Amino acid sequence: MKDWRSDKKGAALLASPAKSFASTVLDKLWKRVTRGGNLVDLDDETRHQLRITAKKLRCAAEFFSPLCMGKAETKRHKRSRRWRDFRINSVA
């Protein structure tokens, strides 16, 4: 198995700031969740996958929270929590 630190992509990851990486991860997950559509209109399997993505977003936000104490990141985290609490649980 190839060591992730020895290739160019891995080296670039090591050189980049952790906050930048966290922001990229959170933005990708947020986009996937918001593109999911209206939960009421989704079939069970698609809704389930969207709930998993929302949970990944929440866990990532909590994990990266010490790095991302800026206003935008805090706002994103609160929105993801509200989205999960109200939209997902109301359908389930």
Side-chain angles (χ1 to χ4, degrees), residues 33-50:
V33 168
T34 57
R35 276 187 274 144
N38 188 351
L39 289 173
V40 176
D41 299 333
L42 299 176
D43 61 89
D44 290 341
E45 181 59 31
T46 307
R47 184 180 308 124
H48 178 67
Q49 292 304 317
L50 186 57

Side-chain angles (χ1 to χ4, degrees), residues 28-77:
K28 279 184 182 179
L29 288 169
W30 179 251
K31 286 176 185 175
R32 286 176 57 192
V33 168
T34 57
R35 276 187 274 144
N38 188 351
L39 289 173
V40 176
D41 299 333
L42 299 176
D43 61 89
D44 290 341
E45 181 59 31
T46 307
R47 184 180 308 124
H48 178 67
Q49 292 304 317
L50 186 57
R51 290 180 73 182
I52 290 172
T53 303
K55 185 173 183 176
K56 287 179 183 180
L57 173 62
R58 180 182 56 86
C59 291
E62 288 175 2
F63 178 79
F64 290 127
S65 65
L67 293 173
C68 305
M69 291 301 177
K71 203 174 199 177
E73 288 85 3
T74 303
K75 196 173 182 179
R76 183 186 304 121
H77 178 68

